[in-house]
Amino acid sequence: SSPTKAASGNADCVTYELFYRPEQAKFNELSRASELESRLARLEQLIGKDNSVLSSITSGIEGAKPDVMSSMSFLQAKMALLDPQHMEAINARLTVCYT
C-alpha cells in the first residue's frame, strides 16, 4: 500500500489503497499449520510415538491416563529434588545416620 494525495485536492489528506490477496492469506494459514506439524513431529521425536516411553517416564503419576503437561510437571518436581542445596541437606542427614 502506498500513500497518494486525495482526489479532492486537499493536501492535508492521505488516501491509502489496500490490496487483499486471498491466496496470500491461504499461504499464511498453511504456513502456520506446517509449523505446528513440524513442532509436533519434533515432540514425537523427543518423546516417541510409543506410549511405553511416556508411561515409563510417568510411572509415578497418579491418575488413569497422564498427559504431557502432567508428565512435565512431574519431571520438574523430580528435577527440583536434584537441587544442589537439597542434595547437601540429604548428604548431611545421611552422614549423621551413618556416624
Side-chain angles (χ1 to χ4, degrees):
S1 64
S2 61
T4 59
K5 287 189 177 183
S8 65
N10 188 349
D12 294 336
C13 295
V14 177
T15 303
Y16 284 92
E17 293 180 5
L18 177 65
F19 299 98
Y20 175 73
R21 295 184 299 178
E23 64 274 0
Q24 183 66 32
K26 183 69 173 173
F27 175 76
N28 289 341
E29 183 180 325
L30 289 174
S31 175
R32 279 187 246 126
S34 175
E35 180 185 346
L36 182 61
E37 285 180 11
S38 65
R39 290 175 63 193
L40 182 59
R42 178 73 178 138
L43 275 173
E44 286 176 342
Q45 183 182 28
L46 291 172
I47 296 174
K49 295 178 185 179
D50 190 10
N51 283 341
S52 64
V53 175
L54 186 59
S55 64
S56 67
I57 292 172
T58 60
S59 61
I61 297 178
E62 296 177 11
K65 190 174 182 184
D67 59 353
V68 174
M69 290 303 294
S70 60
S71 303
M72 291 300 295
S73 297
F74 180 73
L75 290 174
Q76 284 178 338
K78 281 192 170 190
M79 291 289 293
L81 294 175
L82 297 175
D83 181 47
Q85 293 175 346
H86 191 260
M87 295 299 288
E88 287 177 18
I90 292 173
N91 189 22
R93 286 184 209 159
L94 287 174
T95 303
V96 169
C97 290
Y98 288 113
T99 56

Coordinates of all heavy atoms in Angstrom, one line a residue:
S1 N 0.8 -1.2 0.0 CA 0.0 0.0 0.0 C 0.9 1.2 0.0 O 1.9 1.3 0.7 CB -0.9 0.0 1.2 OG -0.2 0.1 2.4
S2 N 0.5 2.2 -0.7 CA 1.3 3.4 -0.8 C 0.4 4.6 -0.7 O -0.8 4.6 -1.2 CB 2.0 3.5 -2.2 OG 1.1 3.5 -3.2
P3 N 0.9 5.7 0.0 CA 0.0 6.9 0.2 C -0.1 7.7 -1.1 O 0.9 7.8 -1.8 CB 0.7 7.6 1.3 CG 2.2 7.2 1.2 CD 2.1 5.8 0.7
T4 N -1.2 8.2 -1.4 CA -1.4 9.1 -2.5 C -2.3 10.3 -2.1 O -3.0 10.2 -1.1 CB -2.2 8.4 -3.7 OG1 -3.5 7.9 -3.2 CG2 -1.4 7.2 -4.2
K5 N -2.1 11.4 -2.8 CA -2.9 12.6 -2.4 C -4.4 12.3 -2.8 O -4.7 11.6 -3.7 CB -2.4 13.8 -3.2 CG -1.1 14.3 -2.6 CD -0.7 15.6 -3.2 CE 0.5 16.2 -2.6 NZ 0.9 17.5 -3.1
A6 N -5.2 12.9 -2.0 CA -6.7 12.7 -2.2 C -7.1 13.4 -3.5 O -6.5 14.4 -3.9 CB -7.5 13.3 -1.1
A7 N -8.1 12.8 -4.2 CA -8.5 13.3 -5.5 C -9.2 14.7 -5.3 O -9.2 15.5 -6.3 CB -9.5 12.4 -6.1
S8 N -9.6 15.1 -4.1 CA -10.3 16.3 -3.9 C -9.3 17.5 -4.0 O -9.7 18.7 -4.0 CB -11.1 16.3 -2.6 OG -10.2 16.2 -1.6
G9 N -8.0 17.2 -3.9 CA -7.0 18.3 -3.9 C -6.6 18.8 -2.6 O -5.8 19.7 -2.5
N10 N -7.2 18.2 -1.5 CA -6.8 18.6 -0.2 C -5.5 18.1 0.2 O -5.3 16.8 0.2 CB -7.9 18.2 0.8 CG -7.7 18.7 2.2 OD1 -6.6 19.3 2.5 ND2 -8.6 18.6 3.1
A11 N -4.5 18.9 0.4 CA -3.1 18.4 0.7 C -2.9 17.8 2.1 O -1.9 17.1 2.3 CB -2.1 19.6 0.5
D12 N -3.9 18.1 3.0 CA -3.8 17.5 4.3 C -4.3 16.1 4.4 O -4.2 15.5 5.5 CB -4.6 18.4 5.3 CG -4.0 19.8 5.4 OD1 -2.7 19.9 5.1 OD2 -4.7 20.7 5.8
C13 N -4.9 15.6 3.4 CA -5.5 14.2 3.5 C -4.6 13.2 2.7 O -4.0 13.6 1.7 CB -6.9 14.2 2.8 SG -8.1 15.2 3.7
V14 N -4.5 12.0 3.2 CA -3.8 11.0 2.6 C -4.7 9.8 2.4 O -5.5 9.4 3.3 CB -2.6 10.5 3.4 CG1 -1.9 9.4 2.8 CG2 -1.6 11.7 3.6
T15 N -4.7 9.2 1.2 CA -5.6 8.1 1.0 C -4.7 6.8 0.8 O -3.7 6.9 0.0 CB -6.4 8.3 -0.3 OG1 -7.2 9.4 -0.2 CG2 -7.3 7.1 -0.6
Y16 N -5.0 5.8 1.5 CA -4.3 4.5 1.3 C -5.1 3.5 0.5 O -6.3 3.4 0.7 CB -3.9 3.9 2.7 CG -2.8 4.6 3.4 CD1 -3.1 5.7 4.3 CD2 -1.5 4.3 3.2 CE1 -2.0 6.3 4.9 CE2 -0.4 4.9 3.8 CZ -0.7 6.0 4.7 OH 0.3 6.6 5.3
E17 N -4.4 2.8 -0.3 CA -5.1 1.7 -1.0 C -4.6 0.4 -0.5 O -3.4 0.2 -0.3 CB -4.8 1.8 -2.5 CG -5.4 3.0 -3.2 CD -5.1 3.0 -4.7 OE1 -4.5 2.1 -5.2 OE2 -5.5 4.0 -5.3
L18 N -5.5 -0.5 -0.2 CA -5.1 -1.8 0.4 C -5.6 -2.9 -0.6 O -6.7 -2.9 -1.0 CB -5.8 -2.0 1.8 CG -5.6 -3.3 2.5 CD1 -4.1 -3.5 2.8 CD2 -6.5 -3.4 3.7
F19 N -4.6 -3.7 -0.9 CA -4.9 -4.8 -1.8 C -4.9 -6.1 -1.1 O -3.9 -6.4 -0.4 CB -3.9 -4.8 -3.0 CG -3.9 -3.6 -3.8 CD1 -3.0 -2.6 -3.5 CD2 -4.8 -3.4 -4.8 CE1 -3.0 -1.4 -4.3 CE2 -4.9 -2.2 -5.5 CZ -3.9 -1.2 -5.3
Y20 N -6.0 -6.9 -1.1 CA -6.1 -8.1 -0.4 C -6.0 -9.3 -1.4 O -6.6 -9.3 -2.5 CB -7.4 -8.2 0.3 CG -7.7 -9.5 0.9 CD1 -7.0 -9.9 2.1 CD2 -8.6 -10.4 0.4 CE1 -7.2 -11.1 2.7 CE2 -8.8 -11.7 1.0 CZ -8.1 -12.0 2.2 OH -8.4 -13.2 2.8
R21 N -5.1 -10.2 -1.1 CA -4.9 -11.3 -2.0 C -5.3 -12.6 -1.2 O -4.6 -12.9 -0.2 CB -3.5 -11.5 -2.5 CG -3.1 -10.3 -3.4 CD -1.8 -10.5 -4.0 NE -0.8 -10.5 -2.9 CZ 0.5 -10.7 -3.0 NH1 1.0 -10.8 -4.2 NH2 1.3 -10.7 -2.0
P22 N -6.4 -13.2 -1.5 CA -6.8 -14.4 -0.7 C -5.8 -15.5 -0.8 O -5.6 -16.3 0.2 CB -8.1 -14.9 -1.4 CG -8.5 -13.7 -2.2 CD -7.3 -12.9 -2.5
E23 N -5.0 -15.7 -1.8 CA -4.0 -16.7 -1.9 C -2.9 -16.5 -0.9 O -2.3 -17.4 -0.3 CB -3.4 -16.9 -3.3 CG -2.6 -15.7 -3.8 CD -3.5 -14.6 -4.5 OE1 -4.7 -14.8 -4.6 OE2 -2.9 -13.6 -4.9
Q24 N -2.6 -15.2 -0.5 CA -1.6 -14.9 0.5 C -2.1 -15.3 1.9 O -1.4 -15.9 2.7 CB -1.3 -13.4 0.5 CG -0.2 -13.0 1.5 CD 1.2 -13.7 1.1 OE1 1.5 -13.9 0.0 NE2 2.0 -14.0 2.1
A25 N -3.4 -15.1 2.1 CA -4.0 -15.5 3.4 C -4.0 -17.0 3.5 O -3.7 -17.5 4.6 CB -5.4 -14.9 3.5
K26 N -4.3 -17.7 2.5 CA -4.3 -19.2 2.5 C -2.9 -19.7 2.7 O -2.6 -20.6 3.5 CB -4.8 -19.7 1.2 CG -5.0 -21.2 1.1 CD -6.0 -21.7 2.0 CE -6.2 -23.2 1.8 NZ -7.1 -23.7 2.7
F27 N -1.9 -19.0 2.1 CA -0.5 -19.4 2.3 C -0.1 -19.2 3.7 O 0.6 -20.0 4.3 CB 0.4 -18.5 1.3 CG 1.9 -18.8 1.6 CD1 2.5 -19.9 1.1 CD2 2.7 -17.9 2.2 CE1 3.8 -20.2 1.3 CE2 4.0 -18.1 2.4 CZ 4.6 -19.3 2.0
N28 N -0.5 -18.1 4.3 CA -0.1 -17.9 5.7 C -0.7 -18.9 6.6 O -0.1 -19.4 7.6 CB -0.6 -16.5 6.2 CG 0.2 -15.4 5.6 OD1 1.4 -15.6 5.1 ND2 -0.3 -14.2 5.6
E29 N -2.0 -19.3 6.4 CA -2.6 -20.3 7.1 C -1.9 -21.7 7.0 O -1.7 -22.4 8.0 CB -4.1 -20.4 6.7 CG -4.9 -21.4 7.5 CD -6.3 -21.5 7.0 OE1 -6.9 -20.5 6.6 OE2 -6.9 -22.6 7.0
L30 N -1.5 -22.0 5.8 CA -0.8 -23.3 5.5 C 0.5 -23.2 6.2 O 1.0 -24.3 6.7 CB -0.7 -23.5 4.0 CG -2.0 -23.9 3.3 CD1 -1.8 -24.0 1.8 CD2 -2.6 -25.2 3.9
S31 N 1.2 -22.1 6.2 CA 2.5 -21.9 6.8 C 2.4 -22.2 8.3 O 3.2 -22.9 8.9 CB 3.0 -20.5 6.6 OG 4.2 -20.3 7.2
R32 N 1.3 -21.6 9.0 CA 1.2 -21.9 10.4 C 0.9 -23.4 10.7 O 1.4 -23.9 11.7 CB 0.0 -21.0 10.9 CG 0.5 -19.6 11.2 CD -0.6 -18.8 11.9 NE -1.0 -17.7 11.0 CZ -2.2 -17.5 10.5 NH1 -3.2 -18.1 11.0 NH2 -2.4 -16.5 9.7
A33 N 0.1 -24.0 9.8 CA -0.2 -25.4 10.0 C 1.0 -26.2 9.8 O 1.3 -27.2 10.6 CB -1.3 -25.8 9.0
S34 N 1.9 -25.9 8.9 CA 3.1 -26.6 8.6 C 4.1 -26.4 9.8 O 4.7 -27.4 10.2 CB 3.8 -26.1 7.4 OG 5.0 -26.7 7.2
E35 N 4.1 -25.2 10.4 CA 5.0 -25.0 11.6 C 4.5 -25.9 12.7 O 5.3 -26.5 13.4 CB 5.0 -23.5 11.9 CG 5.8 -23.2 13.1 CD 5.7 -21.8 13.6 OE1 5.2 -20.9 12.8 OE2 6.2 -21.5 14.7
L36 N 3.2 -25.9 12.9 CA 2.6 -26.7 14.0 C 2.9 -28.2 13.8 O 3.3 -28.9 14.8 CB 1.1 -26.5 14.1 CG 0.4 -27.3 15.2 CD1 0.9 -26.8 16.6 CD2 -1.1 -27.0 15.2
E37 N 2.8 -28.7 12.6 CA 3.1 -30.1 12.3 C 4.6 -30.4 12.5 O 4.9 -31.5 13.1 CB 2.8 -30.4 10.8 CG 1.3 -30.6 10.6 CD 1.0 -30.9 9.2 OE1 1.9 -31.2 8.4 OE2 -0.2 -30.8 8.8
S38 N 5.5 -29.5 12.2 CA 6.9 -29.7 12.4 C 7.2 -29.7 13.9 O 8.1 -30.5 14.4 CB 7.8 -28.7 11.7 OG 7.6 -27.4 12.2
R39 N 6.6 -28.8 14.7 CA 6.8 -28.8 16.2 C 6.3 -30.1 16.8 O 6.9 -30.7 17.7 CB 6.0 -27.6 16.8 CG 6.7 -26.3 16.4 CD 5.9 -25.1 17.0 NE 5.9 -25.2 18.4 CZ 5.1 -24.4 19.1 NH1 4.3 -23.6 18.5 NH2 5.1 -24.4 20.4
L40 N 5.1 -30.6 16.3 CA 4.6 -31.9 16.8 C 5.5 -33.0 16.4 O 5.7 -33.9 17.2 CB 3.2 -32.1 16.2 CG 2.5 -33.4 16.6 CD1 2.3 -33.4 18.1 CD2 1.1 -33.5 15.9
A41 N 6.1 -33.0 15.2 CA 7.0 -34.1 14.8 C 8.2 -34.1 15.7 O 8.8 -35.1 16.1 CB 7.4 -33.9 13.3
R42 N 8.7 -32.9 16.1 CA 9.9 -32.8 16.9 C 9.5 -33.3 18.3 O 10.3 -34.0 18.9 CB 10.3 -31.3 17.0 CG 11.4 -31.0 18.0 CD 12.7 -31.5 17.4 NE 13.8 -31.2 18.3 CZ 14.8 -32.0 18.6 NH1 14.9 -33.1 18.0 NH2 15.7 -31.6 19.5
L43 N 8.3 -33.0 18.9 CA 7.9 -33.6 20.1 C 7.8 -35.1 20.1 O 8.3 -35.8 21.0 CB 6.6 -33.0 20.6 CG 6.6 -31.7 21.3 CD1 5.2 -31.2 21.5 CD2 7.3 -31.9 22.6
E44 N 7.3 -35.6 19.0 CA 7.2 -37.1 18.8 C 8.6 -37.7 18.7 O 8.8 -38.8 19.2 CB 6.4 -37.4 17.6 CG 4.9 -37.2 17.7 CD 4.1 -37.5 16.5 OE1 4.7 -37.5 15.4 OE2 2.9 -37.6 16.6
Q45 N 9.5 -37.0 18.1 CA 10.9 -37.5 18.0 C 11.5 -37.5 19.4 O 12.2 -38.5 19.7 CB 11.7 -36.6 17.1 CG 13.1 -37.0 16.8 CD 13.8 -36.1 15.9 OE1 13.5 -34.9 15.9 NE2 14.8 -36.6 15.2
L46 N 11.3 -36.5 20.2 CA 11.9 -36.5 21.5 C 11.2 -37.5 22.5 O 11.9 -38.2 23.2 CB 11.8 -35.1 22.1 CG 12.6 -34.0 21.5 CD1 12.3 -32.6 22.0 CD2 14.1 -34.3 21.7
I47 N 9.9 -37.5 22.5 CA 9.2 -38.4 23.4 C 9.0 -39.8 22.8 O 9.1 -40.7 23.5 CB 7.8 -37.8 23.8 CG1 8.0 -36.4 24.5 CG2 7.0 -38.7 24.6 CD1 6.7 -35.7 24.8
G48 N 8.8 -39.8 21.6 CA 8.5 -41.1 20.9 C 7.0 -41.2 20.7 O 6.2 -40.7 21.4
K49 N 6.7 -42.0 19.6 CA 5.3 -42.2 19.3 C 4.7 -43.3 20.2 O 3.5 -43.5 20.3 CB 5.1 -42.5 17.8 CG 5.5 -41.4 16.9 CD 5.4 -41.8 15.5 CE 5.8 -40.7 14.6 NZ 5.8 -41.0 13.2
D50 N 5.6 -44.1 20.7 CA 5.2 -45.3 21.5 C 4.8 -44.8 22.9 O 5.5 -44.1 23.6 CB 6.3 -46.3 21.6 CG 5.9 -47.6 22.1 OD1 4.7 -47.8 22.3 OD2 6.8 -48.4 22.4
N51 N 3.7 -45.3 23.4 CA 3.2 -44.9 24.7 C 4.0 -45.5 25.8 O 4.0 -45.1 27.0 CB 1.7 -45.3 24.9 CG 0.8 -44.4 24.2 OD1 1.2 -43.3 23.9 ND2 -0.4 -44.8 23.9
S52 N 4.8 -46.6 25.5 CA 5.6 -47.2 26.6 C 6.7 -46.3 27.1 O 7.0 -46.3 28.3 CB 6.2 -48.5 26.1 OG 7.1 -48.2 25.0
V53 N 7.3 -45.4 26.2 CA 8.3 -44.5 26.7 C 7.7 -43.4 27.6 O 8.2 -43.2 28.7 CB 8.9 -43.8 25.5 CG1 9.9 -42.7 25.9 CG2 9.6 -44.8 24.6
L54 N 6.5 -42.9 27.2 CA 5.8 -41.9 28.1 C 5.4 -42.5 29.4 O 5.5 -41.9 30.4 CB 4.7 -41.3 27.3 CG 3.9 -40.2 28.0 CD1 4.9 -39.0 28.3 CD2 2.8 -39.7 27.2
S55 N 4.9 -43.8 29.3 CA 4.4 -44.4 30.5 C 5.6 -44.7 31.5 O 5.4 -44.7 32.7 CB 3.6 -45.7 30.2 OG 4.4 -46.6 29.6
S56 N 6.8 -45.0 30.9 CA 7.9 -45.3 31.8 C 8.4 -44.0 32.5 O 8.9 -44.0 33.6 CB 9.1 -45.9 31.0 OG 9.6 -45.0 30.1
I57 N 8.3 -42.9 31.8 CA 8.6 -41.6 32.4 C 7.7 -41.2 33.5 O 8.0 -40.7 34.5 CB 8.7 -40.5 31.3 CG1 9.9 -40.7 30.3 CG2 8.8 -39.1 31.9 CD1 9.9 -39.8 29.1
T58 N 6.4 -41.5 33.2 CA 5.3 -41.0 34.1 C 4.8 -42.1 35.0 O 3.7 -42.1 35.5 CB 4.2 -40.4 33.3 OG1 3.7 -41.5 32.5 CG2 4.6 -39.3 32.5
S59 N 5.6 -43.1 35.3 CA 5.1 -44.2 36.1 C 4.7 -43.8 37.5 O 3.9 -44.5 38.1 CB 6.2 -45.3 36.2 OG 7.4 -44.8 36.8
G60 N 5.2 -42.7 38.1 CA 4.9 -42.3 39.4 C 3.7 -41.4 39.5 O 3.2 -41.0 40.5
I61 N 3.1 -41.0 38.3 CA 2.0 -40.1 38.3 C 0.7 -40.8 38.6 O 0.5 -41.9 38.0 CB 1.9 -39.4 36.9 CG1 3.1 -38.5 36.7 CG2 0.6 -38.5 36.9 CD1 3.1 -37.8 35.3
E62 N -0.1 -40.3 39.5 CA -1.4 -40.9 39.8 C -2.4 -40.4 38.8 O -2.4 -39.3 38.4 CB -1.8 -40.6 41.2 CG -0.8 -41.1 42.3 CD -1.2 -40.7 43.7 OE1 -2.3 -40.2 43.9 OE2 -0.4 -40.9 44.6
G63 N -3.3 -41.3 38.4 CA -4.3 -40.9 37.5 C -4.5 -42.0 36.5 O -3.6 -42.8 36.2
A64 N -5.6 -42.0 35.8 CA -5.9 -43.0 34.8 C -5.0 -42.9 33.6 O -4.4 -43.9 33.1 CB -7.3 -43.0 34.4
K65 N -4.9 -41.7 33.0 CA -4.2 -41.5 31.8 C -3.4 -40.2 31.8 O -4.0 -39.2 31.6 CB -5.1 -41.5 30.6 CG -4.5 -41.6 29.3 CD -5.5 -41.8 28.2 CE -4.8 -41.9 26.8 NZ -5.8 -41.9 25.8
P66 N -2.1 -40.2 32.2 CA -1.4 -39.0 32.3 C -1.1 -38.4 30.9 O -0.9 -39.1 29.9 CB -0.1 -39.4 32.9 CG 0.1 -40.8 32.6 CD -1.3 -41.4 32.5
D67 N -1.2 -37.0 30.9 CA -1.0 -36.3 29.6 C 0.4 -35.7 29.7 O 1.2 -35.8 30.7 CB -2.0 -35.3 29.4 CG -2.1 -34.3 30.5 OD1 -1.4 -34.4 31.5 OD2 -2.9 -33.3 30.3
V68 N 0.8 -35.0 28.6 CA 2.1 -34.4 28.5 C 2.4 -33.4 29.6 O 3.4 -33.3 30.2 CB 2.4 -33.9 27.1 CG1 3.7 -33.2 27.0 CG2 2.4 -35.0 26.1
M69 N 1.4 -32.5 29.8 CA 1.5 -31.5 30.8 C 1.7 -32.0 32.2 O 2.6 -31.5 32.9 CB 0.3 -30.5 30.8 CG 0.2 -29.7 29.5 SD 1.7 -28.7 29.2 CE 1.7 -27.6 30.5
S70 N 1.0 -33.0 32.6 CA 1.1 -33.6 33.9 C 2.5 -34.3 34.0 O 3.1 -34.3 35.1 CB 0.0 -34.5 34.3 OG -0.1 -35.6 33.4
S71 N 2.9 -34.9 32.9 CA 4.2 -35.5 32.9 C 5.3 -34.5 33.1 O 6.3 -34.7 33.8 CB 4.4 -36.2 31.5 OG 3.4 -37.2 31.3
M72 N 5.2 -33.3 32.4 CA 6.2 -32.3 32.5 C 6.3 -31.8 34.0 O 7.3 -31.5 34.5 CB 5.9 -31.1 31.6 CG 6.1 -31.5 30.1 SD 7.8 -32.0 29.8 CE 8.7 -30.5 30.1
S73 N 5.1 -31.6 34.6 CA 5.1 -31.1 36.0 C 5.7 -32.1 36.9 O 6.5 -31.8 37.8 CB 3.6 -30.9 36.4 OG 3.0 -29.9 35.7
F74 N 5.5 -33.4 36.7 CA 6.1 -34.5 37.5 C 7.6 -34.5 37.3 O 8.3 -34.6 38.3 CB 5.5 -35.8 37.0 CG 6.0 -37.0 37.7 CD1 5.6 -37.3 39.1 CD2 6.8 -37.9 37.1 CE1 6.1 -38.4 39.7 CE2 7.3 -39.0 37.8 CZ 7.0 -39.2 39.1
L75 N 8.1 -34.3 36.1 CA 9.5 -34.3 35.8 C 10.2 -33.1 36.4 O 11.3 -33.2 37.0 CB 9.8 -34.4 34.3 CG 9.5 -35.8 33.7 CD1 9.7 -35.7 32.2 CD2 10.3 -36.9 34.3
Q76 N 9.5 -32.0 36.4 CA 10.0 -30.7 37.0 C 10.2 -30.9 38.5 O 11.1 -30.5 39.1 CB 9.2 -29.5 36.7 CG 9.3 -29.0 35.3 CD 8.4 -27.8 35.0 OE1 7.4 -27.7 35.6 NE2 8.8 -27.1 34.0
A77 N 9.2 -31.6 39.1 CA 9.3 -31.9 40.6 C 10.4 -32.8 40.9 O 11.2 -32.6 41.9 CB 8.0 -32.5 41.1
K78 N 10.7 -33.8 40.1 CA 11.8 -34.7 40.3 C 13.1 -33.9 40.1 O 14.1 -34.1 40.8 CB 11.8 -35.8 39.3 CG 10.8 -36.9 39.7 CD 11.0 -38.2 38.9 CE 10.2 -39.3 39.5 NZ 10.5 -40.6 38.9
M79 N 13.2 -33.0 39.1 CA 14.4 -32.2 38.9 C 14.7 -31.3 40.1 O 15.8 -31.0 40.4 CB 14.2 -31.4 37.6 CG 14.2 -32.2 36.3 SD 15.8 -32.8 35.9 CE 16.8 -31.4 35.6
A80 N 13.6 -30.8 40.7 CA 13.8 -29.9 41.9 C 14.5 -30.7 43.0 O 15.2 -30.1 43.8 CB 12.5 -29.4 42.3
L81 N 14.3 -32.0 43.1 CA 15.0 -32.8 44.1 C 16.5 -32.9 43.9 O 17.2 -33.2 44.8 CB 14.4 -34.2 44.1 CG 12.9 -34.3 44.5 CD1 12.5 -35.8 44.4 CD2 12.7 -33.9 46.0
L82 N 16.9 -32.6 42.7 CA 18.3 -32.7 42.4 C 19.0 -31.3 42.6 O 20.2 -31.2 42.2 CB 18.6 -33.1 40.9 CG 18.1 -34.5 40.6 CD1 18.2 -34.8 39.1 CD2 18.8 -35.6 41.4
D83 N 18.3 -30.4 43.2 CA 18.9 -29.1 43.5 C 20.1 -29.3 44.4 O 20.1 -30.0 45.4 CB 17.8 -28.2 44.2 CG 18.4 -26.8 44.5 OD1 19.0 -26.2 43.6 OD2 18.1 -26.4 45.7
P84 N 21.2 -28.6 44.2 CA 22.5 -28.8 45.0 C 22.2 -28.6 46.5 O 22.8 -29.3 47.3 CB 23.4 -27.7 44.4 CG 23.0 -27.5 43.0 CD 21.5 -27.7 43.0
Q85 N 21.4 -27.6 46.9 CA 21.2 -27.3 48.3 C 20.4 -28.5 48.9 O 20.7 -28.9 50.0 CB 20.4 -26.0 48.5 CG 21.2 -24.8 48.1 CD 20.4 -23.5 48.2 OE1 19.2 -23.6 48.2 NE2 21.1 -22.4 48.2
H86 N 19.5 -29.0 48.1 CA 18.7 -30.2 48.6 C 19.6 -31.4 48.7 O 19.5 -32.1 49.7 CB 17.5 -30.4 47.6 CG 16.5 -31.4 48.2 ND1 16.5 -32.7 47.8 CD2 15.5 -31.2 49.0 CE1 15.5 -33.3 48.4 NE2 14.9 -32.5 49.2
M87 N 20.5 -31.6 47.8 CA 21.4 -32.7 47.8 C 22.4 -32.6 49.0 O 22.7 -33.6 49.7 CB 22.2 -32.8 46.5 CG 21.3 -33.1 45.3 SD 20.5 -34.7 45.4 CE 21.8 -35.8 45.2
E88 N 22.8 -31.4 49.3 CA 23.7 -31.2 50.5 C 23.0 -31.5 51.8 O 23.5 -32.1 52.7 CB 24.2 -29.7 50.6 CG 25.2 -29.4 49.5 CD 25.7 -28.0 49.5 OE1 25.4 -27.3 50.5 OE2 26.2 -27.5 48.5
A89 N 21.7 -31.1 51.9 CA 20.9 -31.5 53.1 C 20.7 -33.0 53.2 O 20.9 -33.5 54.3 CB 19.5 -30.8 53.0
I90 N 20.5 -33.7 52.1 CA 20.4 -35.1 52.2 C 21.7 -35.8 52.6 O 21.7 -36.7 53.4 CB 19.9 -35.7 50.8 CG1 18.5 -35.2 50.5 CG2 20.0 -37.2 50.7 CD1 17.9 -35.5 49.2
N91 N 22.8 -35.3 52.0 CA 24.1 -35.8 52.4 C 24.4 -35.6 53.9 O 24.9 -36.5 54.5 CB 25.2 -35.1 51.5 CG 26.5 -35.7 51.7 OD1 26.6 -36.9 52.0 ND2 27.6 -35.0 51.3
A92 N 24.0 -34.4 54.4 CA 24.3 -34.2 55.8 C 23.4 -35.1 56.7 O 23.9 -35.6 57.7 CB 23.9 -32.7 56.1
R93 N 22.2 -35.4 56.3 CA 21.4 -36.3 57.1 C 21.9 -37.7 57.0 O 21.9 -38.4 58.0 CB 19.9 -36.3 56.5 CG 19.1 -35.1 56.8 CD 17.7 -35.2 56.3 NE 17.2 -33.9 56.0 CZ 16.2 -33.6 55.2 NH1 15.6 -34.6 54.6 NH2 15.8 -32.4 55.0
L94 N 22.4 -38.1 55.8 CA 22.9 -39.5 55.7 C 24.2 -39.6 56.5 O 24.5 -40.7 57.1 CB 23.2 -39.8 54.2 CG 21.9 -40.1 53.4 CD1 22.3 -40.2 51.9 CD2 21.2 -41.3 53.9
T95 N 25.0 -38.5 56.5 CA 26.3 -38.6 57.3 C 26.0 -38.8 58.8 O 26.6 -39.5 59.5 CB 27.1 -37.3 57.1 OG1 27.3 -37.1 55.7 CG2 28.4 -37.3 57.8
V96 N 24.9 -38.1 59.3 CA 24.6 -38.2 60.7 C 24.1 -39.6 60.9 O 24.4 -40.2 62.0 CB 23.5 -37.2 61.0 CG1 22.9 -37.5 62.4 CG2 24.1 -35.8 61.0
C97 N 23.3 -40.2 60.0 CA 22.8 -41.6 60.2 C 23.9 -42.6 60.3 O 23.8 -43.6 61.0 CB 21.8 -41.9 59.1 SG 20.3 -41.0 59.2
Y98 N 24.9 -42.4 59.5 CA 26.0 -43.5 59.4 C 27.1 -43.2 60.3 O 28.1 -44.0 60.4 CB 26.5 -43.6 58.0 CG 25.5 -44.2 57.0 CD1 24.9 -43.5 56.0 CD2 25.1 -45.6 57.2 CE1 23.9 -44.1 55.2 CE2 24.2 -46.2 56.4 CZ 23.6 -45.5 55.4 OH 22.7 -46.1 54.6
T99 N 27.1 -42.2 61.1 CA 28.2 -42.0 62.1 C 27.8 -42.3 63.5 O 26.7 -42.5 63.9 CB 28.7 -40.5 62.1 OG1 27.6 -39.6 62.3 CG2 29.4 -40.2 60.8

